[in-house]
Amino acid sequence: MKNNRAVTLTQCQDGHSLNFQAMASACEVIIQSSDQQLAKELGNIIANEVWRIEDKYSRYDQNSVCSDINNSAGQTVSIDEETYLLLNFAEQCYQLSDGLFDITSGVLRKVWRFDGSNKLPTSTQVAKYLSYVGWRKVQFDQQQITFVKGMEIDFGGIGKEYAVDRAIILAKQLTDLPVLVNLGGDLAVTGARLNNAPWQVAIEHPDVDSTEANIERNIKKSSTESGIKSNSPADMIISLKSGALATSGDARRYLLNKGKRYSHVLNAKTGWPIENAPRSITVVAPACIQAGILATMALLQGDNAEQFLSEQEIKFWSRR
Amino acid sequence: MKTEKTNIKAALTIATAALLGGNTVAHAETTAAKEDNSWEFDSAFLFYSETDRVSASEVILNAKKSFEDDEILNLKLTVDALTGASANGAVAQPTVQTFTRPSGNGQYDIAPGDTPLDDTFHDTRVQLNAQWTQAVADNLTASGGVHISKEYDYLSLGVNGNIAMDFDRKNSTVSLGFSHFQDTFTPEGGIPKPFASMLIGDSSAPTWDDEFAKTRLGSDDDKTTTDLLLGFTQVINRRMIMQFNYSYSMVDGYLTDPFKILTIVDDNGIAQDYVYESRPDSRVKQSIYAQSLYHFDTNVLDVSYRYMWDDGEITSHTIDSRFTIPLSDSFSRESYIQPHFRFYQQSAADFYQPFILASEPLPVFASADYRIGEMTAFTIGLKYGLLVNNGHELSFRLEYYRQTPTDAGFDEPGVLKEVDLYPSVDAMIAQVSYSF
Amino acid sequence: MNTGHKIKLALIVPLIATASGCTSLGVEPWERDLLAKDAMSLTSSPIDSALDDHIYFSKEASSGGKGFGGGGCGCN
């Protein structure tokens, strides 16, 4: 099920943009350079890396390492260093989220279909698949991985963000010029644009804007006459000079039953959706994978999503 | 929750470094646009023009800089220039009238039936404001500023201070402010004696200067204005916010307009003499003000009402409303239109009279300035704004302002029935603004 | 202060008292999305306000209310 694997080059105002399809998303690489050759080379290197990661870790691809592991039914499978590092990272996330973030929870998609309908699974159905969820049941080390038959691992929660970070690493190896990598909304920059100018990134206007200054400013605006200008109404523009942005959540994937909205974020411990989670959270962090995990962990807090991130002093924007 | 909560950020950083091989940045640097600690500028050019009367141009340049900890410095430069004619307070007559210019240098004639207008006014004014705002405690903000304004014959120096306290998740705010202005007026021709007759003759005559000096009190006078403002702001809900203010203002000093006169008429309404006006040397104004902002699906309604009353029997009502309508992206730019309507009504001051009857004793204070007489006025306008170049805003505003002085209940003897004692004043206002 | 003014003040004061007394008024910090917009600011355009205030201060007998009336120029 490979998408059309072509990289298209477009010239923009002060640089070039490379576009391609990967991981079911529109992907874009922007380089602030008028050197067309360099842009093409960069586009190809990054696209190839993203496709490589997709081929390796997509659970939809029967030839991927991920599928190999999932189909290995109770046996031990050898893994390489990259896979080991990813599994290690997933382990850290499992512990830091108190078990809520669990890459073995993908198997629950067999009972939960978030199609906007009101079809909820029964407790029995959920319990059946819940028995196949549990990071603790996974055993792995630098060379191999083993887990119980019927279980699955799913790199979907970290794959795209990991690809963004890898792309940035490769971009920095190729050139010192400013580059922005955006894989379907998860993005990062190699650094500020020329003349220390920021990259202007638009996100859908949030309901909550955590940057302390912004919350204070928004509150001040409505309470005194200081007349401070705020964000533009339709999209919010963020100036990014370094680091990454990742967004977690999807407004369209939910179930509506008896007036209650069940978001698609599942609690790996109970098998049921997290209640009262924001529809989406965008987080800023030094690396995309960090931002992505924080956004997901926040969603897993449900009601307390914003509070969880505020307490960590993390910059975020949320939509409810 | 877990006790190691606060270490999640740090732990993740370590985990990320392990995964990506230490090729990560030390931190992410973002700011929402327009928040970098650089200057924000607002500039505007306004043109105001009354039909056959005063025209004014005004330019404002405002620079704002935000510092750490929500400290803000605001600097503003205003330059305005005034030309044209304004009513001098005398009534129209069926014959030609001659008046002396305020400076005493020269006369001017007014055609029969015309409202007497003095067109000697050409003045340029420069004003500088500086304001500093900062948080002084968790829910406490203080602000202070200075003001200086200079025109050929007028100097104004002022200071202001304000303190605001927030409550209940900053949904309620109480504020208290004060301002004090010290003005000095040095009109050309000096300060006229109250009710002195306007000297009319030949300005070049050798005796003119002495005669003119006899109608003068001195060369300059002062005025102080002290204002107190008590405000309360409340967020009602996600779509609505309201503000209520009470203000108290004391003005002391020279409140008379040295350029304005009154006509003394006989029982037939024929002008006998022109005398300089005189107003009380103090005025206390109070007002209550309420404003409400409501956000509909996309549009925003802003309505406010002000009721003002003073110790000279002037009361006024002001209703001001604006409706902001965002337009769908034209040329993928954000824009909006904002229709505006303002209604104003005031009652006359107790010392207002359009003229003085010769058969009656001179009043203690009197002024025929229509601006303190009974009148209604309305403004209707439209503003169009759009974002250009990376978030800068360009806007255009066009308004029509009509003032209609009305009969405050004075009998019109003789010929005054045939002239317009209360002419309306029409004005156009055009403005261009650019923020960057 | 005559009765007319007393009545008007009497209407405003309970309104404020009611407004501040109702604990159901107000929003959480993350519900300020609409309130943060420029158009929802009490003075959405300080420059327009300054220009208008100057015009109306010169042409009418009232000033201030929302902010300081003040002296400032020789126009009235």
Side-chain angles (χ1 to χ4, degrees), chain B residues 3 8 15 59 102 104 141 144 146 198 215 223 230 236 264 282 289 295 311-312 314 351 355 357 372 386 409 426:
Chain B
T3 45
I8 289 179
V59 174
T141 310
V146 293
M198 177 184 256
T215 64
K223 176 175 87 173
L230 184 63
I236 305 296
I264 298 188
S282 80
Y289 171 87
H295 195 296
D311 59 353
I314 301 180
F351 55 87
F355 49 83
L357 282 171
I372 47 130
L386 67 156
D426 287 327

Side-chain angles (χ1 to χ4, degrees), chain B residues 388-403:
Chain B
V388 295
N389 298 345
N390 228 10
H392 300 158
E393 183 178 316
L394 177 66
S395 68
F396 304 92
R397 193 160 77 109
L398 193 62
E399 307 214 305
Y400 170 67
Y401 174 48
R402 183 179 172 86
Q403 284 181 289

